[in-house]
Amino acid sequence: MIDRQHLRIVHAIHQHGTMTQAAKSLYLTQSALSHAMKKLEHEFNVPLWQKEGRRLFLTQAGESLLGLAQRILPQFEHTEAQLRRFAEGKQGTLRIGMECYPCFEWLLKIVAPFLKRFPDVDVDVRRAFSFGGLQALHGYDIDVLITPDPLHLDAITYTPVFSYEQVLVMHSTHDLATKAFIAPRDLAQETLISYPVETSRLDIFSQFLTPANASVKSHKTIETTEIILQMVAAGRGVTALPKWLVDESKESELLCCRPLGEEGLTKTLFVGHRKRTDTLGFIDSFVEMAMAQGLKTNSPQQ
């Protein structure tokens, strides 16, 4: 019979690669670790790992057990953390996953009033996931996912919070500023500055340049929105960002925006969360506050 300790052991073996380090990470002796896994191997009559020198490598059966560990262990950890916080008189933590780099600025406008409304709930924001945002949400690594590209799953609900236009941003004196809209071929000699994510996840590539078999002269990546805009304001390149974010920037007077394509490129931001798991109500409240902030973002003054 598989129990939690087996899952913890196979996960530690995968992480550390040696029995010595795996046992140390779990505060077990090597003999205790080995005995537990040999008992499981004997029960199912299948080897779970093989040894090459000092290194341990999972067999196909071991990989199957690892997959279960990666799905189940985060749920254990989440529930235990919640129970500890209940014991401390606190409600819990809202873990927010972000798949929209520029939307971090928008999220800040929700976090402050959320913390005020729920003084016993902490907030944790995560941008990096081992298996993608949807898997992190489904696997209880996060509680809500903010994404412009929802991947649908029966257990997940996505709520649209606002729509925005993705535009090309450049210095106000840039040659492209004279155009009514930007065509893919217009960027052939440009330096594009973007966030450090795969080009397949950047709309300017996946929905604009790549379908037209076009590209840019060079591509640079920068982590921070404000630095990207400062670089563009200094004439070091162009970027693609939501128009509302550019309008709110300190550099807005030095910048101008143009639609990507004659029809423009419109995106919708969604908040995803698991169905029927919000027993304390603060996830539903977060979604409501996100929708309210979305209305403000789309208001005429924006």
Side-chain angles (χ1 to χ4, degrees), residues 68-79:
L68 177 64
Q70 290 170 331
R71 294 192 300 273
I72 297 298
L73 288 178
Q75 297 186 38
F76 271 114
E77 293 165 3
H78 172 61
T79 301

Side-chain angles (χ1 to χ4, degrees), residues 51-66:
K51 196 170 185 180
E52 295 183 14
R54 294 183 58 198
R55 305 280 307 174
L56 294 176
F57 297 90
L58 296 176
T59 63
Q60 187 172 358
E63 290 286 352
S64 177
L65 192 61
L66 174 64

Side-chain angles (χ1 to χ4, degrees), residues 2 5 10 15 44-45 59 61 68 88 117 120 129 144 168 202 209 220 223 232 239 241 254 258 267 279 296:
I2 300 170
Q5 184 74 323
V10 78
Q15 279 190 313
F44 288 95
N45 194 30
T59 63
L68 177 64
E88 295 169 358
R117 181 182 296 184
D120 294 324
F129 314 104
V144 296
L168 189 76
L202 292 170
L209 292 170
K220 296 180 179 179
E223 287 270 358
V232 173
T239 190
L241 289 171
L254 299 174
R258 292 294 179 266
K267 300 284 291 184
T279 56
K296 294 179 182 178

Side-chain angles (χ1 to χ4, degrees), residues 131-241:
F131 302 99
L134 176 61
Q135 292 90 331
L137 181 59
H138 187 253
Y140 287 75
D141 285 324
I142 56 177
D143 301 305
V144 296
L145 176 66
I146 298 175
T147 179
D149 301 299
L151 298 174
H152 293 280
L153 196 67
D154 288 342
I156 306 299
T157 295
Y158 289 99
T159 301
V161 291
F162 75 94
S163 297
Y164 60 92
E165 183 183 8
Q166 190 89 338
V167 294
L168 189 76
V169 189
M170 68 207 83
H171 190 276
S172 58
T173 62
H174 196 288
D175 291 344
L176 293 179
T178 61
K179 290 182 169 287
F181 62 88
I182 304 300
R185 64 179 179 274
D186 293 332
L187 300 183
Q189 298 303 314
E190 299 298 328
T191 295
L192 177 69
I193 305 173
S194 78
Y195 298 104
V197 299
E198 301 91 339
T199 55
S200 61
R201 292 177 55 199
L202 292 170
D203 295 327
I204 192 168
F205 282 100
S206 64
Q207 299 189 38
F208 186 67
L209 292 170
T210 302
N213 197 27
S215 189
V216 294
K217 182 179 179 180
S218 62
H219 180 203
K220 296 180 179 179
T221 61
I222 296 176
E223 287 270 358
T224 311
T225 301
E226 195 56 43
I227 300 299
I228 290 177
L229 290 173
Q230 287 179 6
M231 289 283 284
V232 173
R236 306 295 178 85
V238 299
T239 190
L241 289 171

